[in-house]
Amino acid sequence: MEKNSSWPPMSRLLLLLLVVTASEAAGESRTRPGFLYTGYTGRCTPQYWSSRRESWPRMVPERSTVSNVFGSRAYERFRYDLTLLEATERNDDRENAFARLVKESSAALLNSYARKGYPYSAWEVKTLVIQALVSKEAAAVQAQRFYEANEACN
């Protein structure tokens, strides 16, 4: 052991291990994506409703199916037993316009019942969903409109 060193041997070893680990982690972070923190989401988003932080409106319990709520066109497009809760939990909505539509419209419907001043009434949400199910383009446009309303809502 050196007399000039102010660090005990074990501390030097731990320091070296820390430096090596940190430098390897920094090198890997450039090549591999890590966890993406999305932060707080508003009280009207699908993520909020899927978190169950608040009771769902009595008009649409969590177990309500998309086909029962949105009608026969939704029955033809989605699983017959897909619930509104499952629709708000979806994570396959980036490239799939219909998945995004069902996710955002489910939140929009909940907001129409639970949030005063929400820009759509329940019947408007249901009507707009049925109209949007005719094509991918229509679904994408309406999903974006619901997304904007859900994000702007408090």
Side-chain angles (χ1 to χ4, degrees):
M1 189 157 82
E2 294 179 25
K3 292 182 180 181
N4 294 342
S5 174
S6 62
W7 290 75
M10 187 59 108
S11 296
R12 279 189 272 163
L13 182 61
L14 287 173
L15 180 61
L16 178 64
L17 181 62
L18 179 65
V19 169
V20 169
T21 304
S23 65
E24 284 182 19
E28 286 179 12
S29 69
R30 284 185 231 113
T31 60
R32 185 177 63 192
F35 176 75
L36 176 63
Y37 179 72
T38 58
Y40 174 75
T41 58
R43 291 182 43 226
C44 299
T45 64
Q47 295 83 4
Y48 177 82
W49 287 110
S50 68
S51 73
R52 302 177 187 172
R53 288 186 211 149
E54 180 179 334
S55 297
W56 283 38
R58 290 183 191 178
M59 297 298 293
V60 280
E62 293 176 17
R63 293 187 185 135
S64 298
T65 62
V66 169
S67 59
N68 283 345
V69 171
F70 293 117
S72 61
R73 284 218 176 143
Y75 179 83
E76 295 166 5
R77 178 66 61 188
F78 306 105
R79 282 188 359 241
Y80 74 92
D81 61 342
L82 178 68
T83 66
L84 289 179
L85 177 61
E86 291 171 329
T88 60
E89 293 172 336
R90 290 185 81 121
N91 62 3
D92 62 342
D93 58 319
R94 287 204 186 232
E95 301 297 324
N96 184 335
F98 293 109
R100 187 166 186 223
L101 176 66
V102 76
K103 181 177 184 173
E104 295 296 337
S105 64
S106 294
L109 183 66
L110 293 165
N111 293 328
S112 71
Y113 286 116
R115 307 284 183 251
K116 289 188 185 234
Y118 189 73
Y120 297 101
S121 68
W123 70 266
E124 286 176 308
V125 172
K126 293 176 183 184
T127 301
L128 292 169
V129 168
I130 292 168
Q131 291 172 350
L133 287 171
V134 297
S135 70
K136 283 183 184 180
E137 294 77 22
V141 168
Q142 189 57 57
Q144 182 62 30
R145 289 179 182 154
F146 285 144
Y147 170 81
E148 291 168 2
N150 294 338
E151 288 293 322
C153 169
N154 288 317

